[in-house]
Amino acid sequence: MKYCFGVDIGGTTIKMGLFEEDGKIADKWEITTDTSEEGKSILPNTAASIEKKIEEHGLDKNDIAGIGVGVPAPVTSEGVVNGTANLGWSYKEVKRELEEMTGLKTVVGNDANVAALGEMWKGGGEGEKNMIMITLGTGVGGGVIIDGKMLVGENGAGGEIGHLCVNYEETDCCGCGNRGCVEQYASATGIVRLAKQKLGQDMRPTILNKEDVTAKDVFDAVKAGDEAAKDIAAVFGRYLGYGLANLAVIADPAVFVIGGGVSKAGEVLIPYIREPYMERAFFANKNVRFVLAKLGNDAGICGAAKLILDNE
Amino acid sequence: MKYCFGVDIGGTTIKMGLFEEDGKIADKWEITTDTSEEGKSILPNTAASIEKKIEEHGLDKNDIAGIGVGVPAPVTSEGVVNGTANLGWSYKEVKRELEEMTGLKTVVGNDANVAALGEMWKGGGEGEKNMIMITLGTGVGGGVIIDGKMLVGENGAGGEIGHLCVNYEETDCCGCGNRGCVEQYASATGIVRLAKQKLGQDMRPTILNKEDVTAKDVFDAVKAGDEAAKDIAAVFGRYLGYGLANLAVIADPAVFVIGGGVSKAGEVLIPYIREPYMERAFFANKNVRFVLAKLGNDAGICGAAKLILDNE
């Protein structure tokens, strides 16, 4: 029996899993991310935690395929990070450092790409080899899987779905400095922005609180039949659907997997996205499926495990 | 010494090359494409022509890696075509049929993707493994190369760059049925469309013939300093550049290779495309290079040869 570790490094916690090679999770735990002093303890803490688990489970290192790691930053195919927003790292040779500390082969990927790989392996995209995962969280992230492999790109910046331009008339700025990015309409933050715009103008009665509205409130109100909320969801869905249509004409996926905090609203989201998608999709891409992500917070560790198993 | 054949099947001619494994072209020839009776002679004629060359050069089939083929249609990863606009084929198992006729391993790809592979191997994208080729011809085609491999996609429809939507306000229809596709602005046909719109309204003197203008005329006039032509080129470049910015945010290429008939205008094109690209590109994609294609009509046979060599 072979084992491997899947590690999902986030700004708050580092999630880890010990996997059997068929994908079964033998153990799952997390440690706190110590971002002090430019995050210098992150990799040593990760390595120590893995060593401890190896001892705890009485494993032989020869039976361990290695460590897969997801990192919240662009990662080159050599496992190098050139800067992170949340970890404190600037230049960091993640692969080399972890390999030196543990003696185990390590493969590193961007966390959104890795989560997509996880959803392909054991989640919403199971059985497919061409899939795109869209993570609707504080921002909009994504992972493009082509023929079973993550699209990494030249700078490790492939699949930055949130920054597709879908509205050339937009005057507000995205966090990235451009205008009209998918993220401005489809992230939790973007939905709140749309809601405030809408509720500032709309005179109809609504159950939404105009002062303090969240993305969850909007979709709860949609489920309750609130017309103003439905209008907000339509704008969200229009721009996300338009973005996915442009994505499909490049990547030609079998399935879109929708994940992230916003996706907890559930199936109610899908028609809002699918309808504008169908309106704009290239004929060859009309039969794509839309599904919700299934793995939740485990997508990262699962995808990280898959990453190392694929590289054996 | 190993050999292979590269075959580029077009609606008018079938171009073929005999390659040495280092990429040297040992022979190059073409035959006429017989599209009569649903194109039923196309593959037999190709096979016969290859057999004749094997005899002519006194080759041993054991020294031949196989046949790479580019086809003007979406092609599945199993080498199956489900319909073509120009060859008369509906469902066609290209790989299986050619293998049975020749006894040689065959790999089949979409012609635009295959041409991109050729430009990566020996042309404008040489030395890169993440590149995108844009073919500006009657339509706009493209090939996306990720980590050295063609992006094929679920339906063989990956990299359909011409049908990225770049103008949600467009009222004219594209050939695909959508509105606002890159092809409506950046193909030879699209440039003529832009020119006619512009010349119908513009009262300034111009050297362009308002009744019978071609894409070549437009760029010749740009080179001659014609202001109306420069305005047309600016619209062409704006929409193409916007499309490439959206493409880059997904595929993260090192280089864009611009080919096809329109690219014969030369370096004058590049600033018209690069400037709007830079205006809209995601920060991680700003250092991409723009180059002209180098192989001309040989891109197809070169890429087809590379396709089979990569699959050995």
Side-chain angles (χ1 to χ4, degrees):
Chain A
M1 171 65 77
K2 277 251 185 181
Y3 294 88
C4 72
F5 289 95
V7 176
D8 181 15
I9 302 183
T12 312
T13 61
I14 303 170
K15 297 183 179 64
M16 292 188 260
L18 171 63
F19 289 76
E20 296 173 6
E21 61 191 329
D22 62 0
K24 200 176 151 231
I25 303 180
D27 197 354
K28 197 169 85 172
W29 69 101
E30 59 185 58
I31 63 175
T32 301
T33 310
D34 179 359
T35 56
S36 66
E37 292 179 78
E38 299 184 336
K40 72 170 192 174
S41 303
I42 292 176
L43 293 181
N45 290 350
T46 302
S49 182
I50 286 172
E51 295 285 359
K52 203 175 126 209
K53 282 290 168 179
I54 291 173
E55 204 181 304
E56 211 177 294
H57 288 267
L59 301 178
D60 181 340
K61 277 202 181 176
N62 292 320
D63 294 332
I64 301 174
I67 308 169
V69 184
V71 173
V75 183
T76 71
S77 47
E78 288 77 34
V80 175
V81 166
N82 284 299
T84 57
N86 308 316
L87 301 182
W89 296 345
S90 46
Y91 178 85
K92 195 83 177 169
E93 297 180 8
V94 182
K95 175 187 166 72
R96 187 186 58 73
E97 290 196 24
L98 262 186
E99 286 187 341
E100 285 178 9
M101 282 187 263
T102 62
L104 292 168
K105 183 177 172 183
T106 300
V107 181
V108 188
N110 168 267
D111 60 353
N113 291 343
V114 165
L117 203 58
E119 286 286 344
M120 183 191 72
W121 191 30
K122 298 176 42 155
E126 198 176 343
E128 300 292 355
K129 55 183 189 169
N130 294 293
M131 65 152 269
I132 295 171
M133 183 169 174
I134 303 101
T135 304
L136 307 174
T138 311
V140 172
V144 177
I145 309 285
I146 303 287
D147 202 18
K149 293 198 173 55
M150 302 185 314
L151 193 168
V152 174
E154 187 66 15
N155 307 290
E160 284 283 357
I161 296 167
H163 300 286
L164 277 167
C165 183
V166 284
N167 180 4
Y168 292 96
E169 316 301 315
E170 179 62 74
T171 51
D172 286 358
C173 242
C174 178
C176 77
N178 284 343
R179 290 180 169 82
C181 294
V182 166
E183 188 162 294
Q184 291 182 273
Y185 312 96
S187 65
T189 327
I191 294 166
V192 169
R193 189 182 73 96
L194 294 178
K196 288 192 169 159
Q197 281 176 358
K198 177 75 183 167
L199 298 176
Q201 301 160 355
D202 202 320
M203 290 302 121
R204 289 175 297 179
T206 172
I207 59 174
L208 289 168
N209 176 344
K210 299 187 185 202
E211 303 309 313
D212 183 25
V213 63
T214 67
K216 181 174 185 307
D217 295 339
V218 171
F219 286 103
D220 285 347
V222 167
K223 290 177 201 168
D226 190 273
E227 293 300 326
K230 286 184 190 173
D231 286 355
I232 298 162
V235 180
F236 151 88
R238 176 163 80 241
Y239 289 116
L240 180 53
Y242 285 3
L244 297 187
N246 265 356
L247 191 42
V249 91
I250 301 309
D252 187 17
V255 61
F256 287 116
V257 178
I258 316 285
V262 173
S263 76
K264 290 182 185 159
E267 291 289 340
V268 68
L269 288 175
I270 305 288
Y272 281 103
I273 306 167
R274 188 196 282 124
E275 195 182 306
Y277 172 84
M278 290 301 281
E279 182 198 316
R280 286 281 172 187
F282 186 54
F283 64 87
N285 308 126
K286 296 232 185 213
N287 59 350
V288 67
R289 291 184 299 121
F290 289 78
V291 303
L292 295 171
K294 286 186 182 167
L295 301 181
N297 288 333
D298 286 350
I301 57 169
C302 288
K306 179 70 173 152
L307 191 59
I308 186 71
L309 290 173
D310 280 352
N311 271 272
E312 256 196 293
Chain B
M1 170 65 78
K2 276 251 187 180
Y3 295 88
C4 72
F5 289 95
V7 177
D8 181 13
I9 302 182
T12 312
T13 60
I14 302 169
K15 298 183 177 64
M16 292 189 259
L18 171 64
F19 289 76
E20 296 172 7
E21 61 192 330
D22 62 0
K24 197 175 151 232
I25 302 180
D27 197 354
K28 197 170 85 172
W29 70 101
E30 59 184 57
I31 62 175
T32 302
T33 311
D34 179 359
T35 56
S36 65
E37 293 180 77
E38 299 184 335
K40 72 170 192 174
S41 303
I42 292 176
L43 293 181
N45 289 350
T46 302
S49 183
I50 285 172
E51 294 285 0
K52 205 174 125 207
K53 283 289 168 181
I54 290 173
E55 205 180 302
E56 211 176 294
H57 288 268
L59 302 178
D60 181 338
K61 277 200 180 177
N62 292 321
D63 293 333
I64 301 173
I67 308 170
V69 184
V71 173
V75 182
T76 70
S77 46
E78 288 77 32
V80 175
V81 166
N82 284 299
T84 57
N86 308 317
L87 302 182
W89 296 345
S90 45
Y91 179 84
K92 196 82 174 170
E93 297 181 8
V94 181
K95 174 188 169 69
R96 187 187 55 77
E97 289 195 23
L98 263 184
E99 285 186 341
E100 284 179 9
M101 283 187 265
T102 62
L104 292 168
K105 184 178 171 180
T106 301
V107 182
V108 188
N110 168 266
D111 60 353
N113 290 343
V114 165
L117 203 58
E119 286 286 342
M120 182 191 73
W121 190 30
K122 298 175 43 155
E126 198 175 343
E128 300 292 356
K129 55 182 188 167
N130 294 294
M131 64 152 269
I132 294 172
M133 181 169 177
I134 303 101
T135 305
L136 306 174
T138 312
V140 172
V144 177
I145 308 285
I146 304 288
D147 201 19
K149 293 198 172 57
M150 304 185 313
L151 192 168
V152 174
E154 186 67 14
N155 307 288
E160 285 283 357
I161 296 168
H163 300 286
L164 276 168
C165 183
V166 284
N167 181 3
Y168 292 97
E169 316 301 315
E170 179 61 77
T171 51
D172 285 358
C173 242
C174 177
C176 77
N178 284 343
R179 291 180 168 82
C181 294
V182 166
E183 188 162 293
Q184 291 182 272
Y185 312 96
S187 65
T189 326
I191 294 166
V192 169
R193 188 182 74 95
L194 294 177
K196 289 193 168 160
Q197 281 175 358
K198 177 77 182 165
L199 298 175
Q201 301 160 354
D202 202 320
M203 290 301 120
R204 289 175 296 179
T206 172
I207 58 175
L208 289 168
N209 176 344
K210 299 185 186 202
E211 304 307 315
D212 183 26
V213 62
T214 67
K216 181 174 185 309
D217 295 338
V218 171
F219 286 103
D220 285 346
V222 167
K223 289 176 201 169
D226 190 271
E227 293 299 328
K230 285 184 190 173
D231 287 354
I232 298 162
V235 180
F236 151 88
R238 177 163 82 241
Y239 289 117
L240 181 53
Y242 285 3
L244 297 187
N246 266 355
L247 192 41
V249 92
I250 301 307
D252 187 16
V255 61
F256 286 116
V257 178
I258 316 282
V262 173
S263 76
K264 290 183 186 159
E267 291 289 341
V268 67
L269 288 176
I270 305 288
Y272 281 103
I273 306 168
R274 189 197 279 122
E275 196 182 304
Y277 172 84
M278 291 302 281
E279 181 197 316
R280 286 281 172 185
F282 187 56
F283 64 88
N285 308 126
K286 296 231 186 217
N287 58 350
V288 68
R289 293 184 299 119
F290 288 78
V291 304
L292 294 171
K294 286 186 182 166
L295 301 180
N297 289 333
D298 286 350
I301 58 170
C302 288
K306 180 68 172 154
L307 190 59
I308 186 72
L309 291 172
D310 281 351
N311 271 271
E312 255 195 295

